[in-house]
């Protein structure tokens, strides 16, 4: 009973807040989003500490990469929260039916790579990450180019989950829930559909493989390599980032699977190869990746070098 009451209150809160934000012009909404992010940076201490710790451990790797122009761990982490605040207000506008301008302003780069891979007739798997406004990536692509189904976790609140599902479908997209995702993905690809898969979260060891990411081992999904090999569907990396007052979706050429004959070696090489795309994104747009997640949890970490 108490859980039901909490779910209804959460739903009511979301509707009231999102409806209010949806009334703001985009420029005002984004300013409010950045303010929301800065406020969250101050008060969400646990997530702030996770982001700063992740960045501090990754900076030695990032600072060696060509093109790195990021700042200190704290400066980048503050920008991460501001980006997430912008994502929240954009999603509120989209979910309340006032986000068409946001969707129409998205710029696409590399659509020819999608066309070439999709023309193979095997369906297609978009490989992406929690970067920029990843929700906008899926919705904008579904509206302007081709509908797709995104692999996602069910919301704990079933009422909110039904609403989110209904809104996503209204933009032409489908959902594949993580429970039973493997079978559903094979089914979608058999029908030559497009599937979106975010691969930058830590996974259980039985579902993953240890692969370097930003200079440290991290449990990385086996699923993309497995599905691509069994279905023949091409893996196409695609990411979204903010650029001025618009978002840009960049689609890369199809990823070439490892030629290694040993399945474990192939899985490892594919995991590392796909991680490279996310690393390159982080170097270029460090404040737009989801640093607040414990990406390296349960993975063995290199011992700290002794002080000189």
């Amino acid at each position: 009973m108490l859980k039901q009451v909490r779910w209804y209150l959460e739903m009511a809160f979301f509707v009231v807040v999102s409806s209010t934000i949806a009334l703001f012009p985009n420029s005002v909404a984004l300013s409010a989003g950045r303010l929301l992010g800065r406020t969250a940076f101050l008060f969400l201490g646990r997530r702030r500490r996770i982001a700063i710790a992740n960045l501090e451990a990754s900076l030695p790797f990032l600072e060696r990469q060509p093109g790195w122009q990021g700042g200190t761990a704290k400066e980048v982490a503050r920008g991460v929260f501001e980006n997430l605040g912008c994502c929240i207000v954009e999603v509120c506008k989209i979910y309340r039916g006032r986000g068409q301008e946001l969707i129409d302003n998205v710029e696409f780069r590399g659509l020819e790579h999608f066309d070439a891979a999709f023309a193979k007739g095997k369906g297609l798997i978009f490989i992406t990450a929690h970067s920029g406004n990843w929700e906008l990536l899926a919705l904008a692509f579904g509206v302007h180019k081709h509908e797709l189904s995104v692999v996602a976790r069910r919301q704990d609140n079933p009422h909110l989950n039904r609403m989110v599902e209904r809104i996503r479908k209204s933009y032409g997209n489908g959902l594949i829930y993580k429970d039973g995702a493997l079978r559903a993905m094979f089914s979608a690809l058999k029908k030559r559909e497009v599937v979106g898969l975010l691969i930058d979260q830590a996974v259980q060891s039985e579902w993953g493989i240890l692969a370097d990411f930003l200079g440290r081992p991290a449990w990385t999904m086996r699923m993309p390599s497995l599905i691509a090999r069994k279905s023949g569907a091409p893996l196409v990396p695609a990411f979204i980032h903010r650029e001025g007052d618009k978002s840009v979706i960049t689609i890369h050429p199809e990823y070439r699977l490892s030629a290694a004959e040993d399945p474990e070696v192939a899985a490892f090489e594919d995991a590392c190869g796909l991680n490279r795309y996310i690393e390159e994104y982080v170097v270029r747009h460090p404040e737009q990746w989801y640093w607040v997640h414990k990406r390296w949890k349960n993975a063995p970490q290199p011992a700290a070098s002794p002080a000189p």
Side-chain angles (χ1 to χ4, degrees), residues 62 93 95 144 146 186 193 195 209 218 243 258 262 266 272 279 281 285-286 308:
L62 291 169
K93 288 181 72 71
Y95 279 13
H144 290 298
H146 195 286
F186 277 120
E193 295 177 0
V195 174
I209 192 164
E243 196 170 283
S258 166
D262 185 308
C272 290
E279 289 178 340
Y281 179 96
H285 314 291

Side-chain angles (χ1 to χ4, degrees), residues 25-39:
N26 286 345
S27 59
V28 175
L30 289 174
S31 295
R34 285 187 284 271
L35 177 60
L36 174 64
R38 289 193 291 270
T39 303

Side-chain angles (χ1 to χ4, degrees), residues 254-273:
E254 175 187 348
Y255 171 74
R256 300 299 177 185
L257 294 169
S258 166
E261 295 183 3
D262 185 308
E264 283 299 303
V265 174
F268 173 76
E269 291 183 350
D270 287 336
C272 290

Side-chain angles (χ1 to χ4, degrees), residues 30 34 83 90 105-109 132-133 136 239-250 281 284-285 288:
L30 289 174
R34 285 187 284 271
N83 176 67
E90 287 172 337
N105 283 342
V106 172
E107 179 183 338
F108 292 87
R109 297 173 185 169
N133 186 337
L136 181 59
F239 302 90
I240 187 169
H241 72 275
R242 299 183 188 281
E243 196 170 283
D245 59 355
K246 66 182 178 183
S247 285
V248 177
I249 294 174
T250 301
Y281 179 96
R284 290 193 300 270
H285 314 291
Q288 297 188 45

Side-chain angles (χ1 to χ4, degrees), residues 59-260:
L59 279 177
F61 172 87
L62 291 169
E63 289 170 346
R64 296 194 300 268
Q65 307 309 307
W68 169 254
Q69 295 180 346
T72 66
K74 188 174 182 180
E75 289 169 344
V76 175
R78 185 181 291 109
V80 170
F81 277 78
E82 290 185 13
N83 176 67
L84 292 174
C86 290
C87 290
I88 289 172
V89 300
E90 287 172 337
V91 167
C92 285
K93 288 181 72 71
I94 291 169
Y95 279 13
R96 304 315 298 172
R98 293 178 176 268
Q100 194 61 46
E101 183 181 349
L102 289 168
I103 292 172
D104 289 343
N105 283 342
V106 172
E107 179 183 338
F108 292 87
R109 297 173 185 169
L111 278 172
E112 67 275 12
H113 302 311
F114 167 81
D115 292 335
F118 191 66
K120 293 185 175 183
K122 298 287 187 177
L124 183 144
I125 305 170
F126 267 138
I127 298 297
T128 189
H130 293 83
S131 54
N133 186 337
W134 58 92
E135 183 81 4
L136 181 59
L137 186 160
L139 295 175
F141 194 86
V143 168
H144 290 298
K145 185 61 179 178
H146 195 286
E147 64 275 7
L148 71 159
S149 295
V150 179
V151 179
R153 183 182 69 84
R154 291 182 191 272
Q155 302 290 324
D156 295 330
N157 185 327
H159 308 296
L160 185 59
N161 191 77
R162 282 194 293 271
M163 186 189 74
V164 170
E165 184 176 295
R166 184 176 66 253
I167 292 167
R168 284 171 169 169
K169 288 181 177 178
S170 73
Y171 284 95
N173 288 349
L175 276 170
I176 294 175
Y177 290 115
K178 286 187 176 180
D179 42 321
L182 202 58
R183 180 177 295 181
M185 289 181 71
F186 277 120
S187 175
L189 294 170
K190 191 174 182 179
K191 293 183 283 188
R192 301 182 179 180
E193 295 177 0
V194 179
V195 174
L197 186 61
L198 295 104
I199 67 165
D200 60 336
Q201 301 260 291
V203 295
Q204 297 292 330
S205 57
E206 60 265 30
W207 294 103
I209 192 164
L210 279 175
D212 278 356
F213 179 63
L214 298 176
R216 292 181 288 153
W219 285 110
T220 304
M221 283 186 182
R222 291 175 178 267
M223 188 186 292
S225 175
L226 170 69
I227 296 176
R229 291 175 189 282
K230 287 186 175 292
S231 69
L235 301 177
V236 178
F239 302 90
I240 187 169
H241 72 275
R242 299 183 188 281
E243 196 170 283
D245 59 355
K246 66 182 178 183
S247 285
V248 177
I249 294 174
T250 301
I251 302 171
H252 296 269
E254 175 187 348
Y255 171 74
R256 300 299 177 185
L257 294 169
S258 166

